[in-house]
Amino acid sequence: MTVHSSLSETLLSKIADRSAHAGVIGLGYVGLPLAITVARNGFTVTGFDIDPQKIVAIDAGRSYIEAVPDAVLATETAEGRFRATTDFSQLAACDVIVICVPTPLTKHRDPDLSFITRTCDRIARTLRPGQLIVLESTTYPGTTDEVVRPILEKTGLKSGQDFFLGFSPEREDPGNRDFHTSSIPKVVAGDGADAAGLMQAFYGAVVQTVVPVSSPATAEAVKLTENIFRAVNIALVNELKVVYEAMGIDIWEVIDAAKTKPFGYMPFYPGPGLGGHCIPIDPFYLTWKSREFELPTRFIELAGEINSAMPRHVVGRLAEALDIHLGKALSRSRVLVIGLAYKKNVPDIRESPSLKLIELIEERGGIAAYHDPHVAEIPKTREYMALKGRTSVPLDEQSVQAFDAVLIATDHDAVDYAALARWAPLIVDTRNAFARRNIEGGLILKA
């Protein structure tokens, strides 16, 4: 038996009897649910994060991620299966290390892999033979082989011989109550046969279905394909919305009728812009990588242009509605934006178009405020520092009537839309929230 086969067999045995110690780096929307899922399946897990406030919250049994209830977090910490730390030297004790850090874009829409590279540098300081290192962060095909592996191999240890390397794309969907980390099929790939076997064994121990593919680059491409599919189709309906608006046709009625076809059609819905960490960002990782091969990605780039233009289109429709129906300029108007989160029923504001809508309204001289039952205060963000600290206004008659218009940006279920229809002098609805609930009112316009 070769040395690397022996190392692989030892780790396989530890995974099988749950004696393997797992480490999860990045305790956000992906990392914390994964860490808890691994712990609930019998492994000891250490979570790592550079934010000490997250560690304080976890130590207090207080979850900041909706997918992880306080009671579940408290149970796993009390039973000793999960703990969190900012001390990355403790990575040395971990047999399996999973990287779940952000992969944003630069201002020029190029991949920002700084979180990945810094994390790999930290792992390299304590890297030892027999460890399995897994990247889950969404990125372009080739990152695991071209970025992660060289950093780790600077230690003198070799992937596939001394340590094992794999990629498994995250598939978290905040707010989705039908699917959880353990029930979402997991695509996995390893750098070599031993790593592939370890990936299947580890994830097979914590999720219901494992989908192996031939290489990390293929697994990286799977994630991008999923999100590009959504981005392009959302761009299509956003473009159709603008065209049908000009024709006096309701895009929502069109989609509702089209989706009755039992084959060959899948409904996607328009909105005020794209939000979340994945769809507004991930497609551009492929457009960037494709330049290396001198190949165009016209569909992806066009979809990005259309989706990025939606906030300006919505604000333009808002300004038009104020002028035509109230005789007021946007520059002299107060607008209440309903929903700060990027999708309904979650507190996640990453890349939320609502932030852009507020910024655009105020660039045109208007006054904007927001109400969101899930986001009490706007936290620090990279792009919208000026909005930090603003708080959600109450949703009552007096408050609503202090605004000239209400803009529905996110259709949270906890919002009283019937009351809004009674109180608001003008409503611009980007989510079809009122028609879907059969609520009629004075001035309710779609955008």
Side-chain angles (χ1 to χ4, degrees):
M1 181 181 293
T2 62
V3 173
H4 62 86
S5 294
S6 176
L7 291 171
S8 173
E9 290 296 331
T10 298
L11 184 51
L12 280 172
S13 177
K14 295 179 76 172
I15 290 171
D17 66 15
R18 303 300 196 270
S19 63
H21 187 152
V24 176
I25 303 176
L27 299 176
Y29 283 92
V30 174
L32 186 59
L34 175 66
I36 294 301
T37 299
V38 174
R40 296 185 80 179
N41 280 276
F43 293 92
T44 299
V45 182
T46 300
F48 298 85
D49 204 284
I50 60 174
D51 183 357
Q53 293 183 350
K54 290 180 180 177
I55 311 306
V56 170
I58 289 169
D59 288 345
R62 187 177 70 254
S63 175
Y64 45 86
I65 301 295
E66 190 177 40
V68 179
D70 288 350
V72 172
L73 177 63
T75 296
E76 296 309 310
T77 54
E79 295 292 331
R81 288 186 293 267
F82 177 64
R83 59 183 294 274
T85 182
T86 58
D87 180 7
F88 283 74
S89 68
Q90 296 185 33
L91 287 168
C94 298
D95 301 296
V96 179
I97 299 172
V98 185
I99 303 168
C100 304
V101 298
T103 48
L105 294 172
T106 68
K107 291 182 179 180
H108 302 290
R109 288 187 171 178
D110 291 335
D112 178 1
L113 298 186
S114 59
F115 291 93
I116 289 179
T117 57
R118 287 200 297 267
T119 299
C120 290
D121 285 336
R122 288 180 182 241
I123 294 171
R125 295 175 196 172
T126 57
L127 186 66
R128 59 173 171 77
Q131 287 181 308
L132 171 64
I133 313 300
V134 184
L135 179 62
E136 283 213 6
S137 305
T138 304
T139 186
Y140 59 82
T143 302
T144 303
D145 294 334
E146 300 166 10
V147 177
V148 176
R149 185 171 64 187
I151 293 174
L152 299 180
E153 289 188 337
K154 284 181 180 179
T155 61
L157 301 178
K158 298 299 180 183
S159 174
Q161 297 180 16
D162 305 304
F163 68 91
F164 306 97
L165 183 62
F167 182 84
S168 179
E170 60 88 2
R171 279 176 163 173
E172 289 295 322
D173 185 18
N176 190 327
R177 302 190 185 282
D178 295 324
F179 294 96
H180 306 280
T181 303
S182 62
S183 61
I184 300 170
K186 204 81 169 75
V187 174
V188 301
D191 179 25
D194 287 337
L198 288 167
M199 290 288 289
Q200 293 180 52
F202 175 68
Y203 283 102
V206 298
V207 302
Q208 294 172 10
T209 305
V210 172
V211 183
V213 295
S214 60
S215 68
T218 301
E220 290 159 344
V222 168
K223 175 63 174 178
L224 292 187
T225 300
E226 293 169 1
N227 288 334
I228 289 167
F229 174 78
R230 294 182 64 193
V232 169
N233 280 281
I234 291 170
L236 174 62
V237 295
N238 275 329
E239 186 168 66
L240 290 174
K241 174 183 72 173
V242 175
V243 174
Y244 290 155
E245 274 178 3
M247 298 178 179
I249 298 170
D250 185 343
I251 181 66
W252 301 93
E253 183 181 1
V254 171
I255 294 171
D256 283 345
K259 72 182 183 183
T260 62
K261 184 180 180 182
F263 52 88
Y265 181 81
M266 177 183 295
F268 287 82
Y269 298 94
L274 290 183
H277 177 66
C278 293
I279 302 178
I281 293 175
D282 297 351
F284 293 105
Y285 271 69
L286 188 61
T287 64
W288 179 86
K289 185 65 175 177
S290 71
R291 296 174 203 158
E292 179 183 328
F293 300 91
E294 298 182 354
L295 293 172
T297 50
R298 295 191 185 98
F299 271 115
I300 299 171
E301 292 174 16
L302 180 58
E305 291 174 14
I306 293 170
N307 290 326
S308 296
M310 280 303 105
R312 289 191 182 277
H313 172 77
V314 167
V315 172
R317 290 278 290 168
L318 170 66
E320 181 182 61
L322 283 163
D323 180 32
I324 293 174
H325 297 284
L326 300 185
K328 293 195 70 172
L330 178 56
S331 61
R332 295 185 293 106
S333 299
R334 293 170 53 85
V335 180
L336 177 62
V337 176
I338 301 295
L340 194 72
Y342 82 89
K343 65 182 291 190
K344 65 188 296 184
N345 304 333
V346 302
D348 191 347
I349 70 163
R350 291 176 297 172
E351 309 297 328
S352 173
S354 297
L355 297 167
K356 185 65 175 179
L357 291 169
I358 292 172
E359 181 183 72
L360 290 173
I361 290 167
E362 296 189 342
E363 281 181 358
R364 296 183 60 165
I367 296 173
Y370 82 94
H371 169 80
D372 193 307
H374 302 280
V375 184
E377 181 177 327
I378 300 180
K380 179 181 177 181
T381 59
R382 285 188 294 270
E383 293 188 37
Y384 302 98
M385 289 295 293
L387 302 183
K388 179 181 180 296
R390 294 196 189 185
T391 57
S392 175
V393 303
L395 203 65
D396 55 48
E397 185 172 4
Q398 183 177 1
S399 297
V400 172
Q401 290 182 347
F403 292 90
D404 300 293
V406 169
L407 175 61
I408 308 298
T410 313
D411 51 337
H412 293 305
D413 290 335
V415 172
D416 189 341
Y417 294 97
L420 272 178
R422 294 194 305 270
W423 299 335
L426 170 67
I427 296 173
V428 176
D429 184 1
T430 72
R431 299 289 188 177
N432 203 37
F434 291 86
R436 281 191 288 108
R437 294 170 173 83
N438 296 313
I439 297 173
E440 297 181 353
L443 285 173
I444 302 176
L445 308 175
K446 297 179 183 181

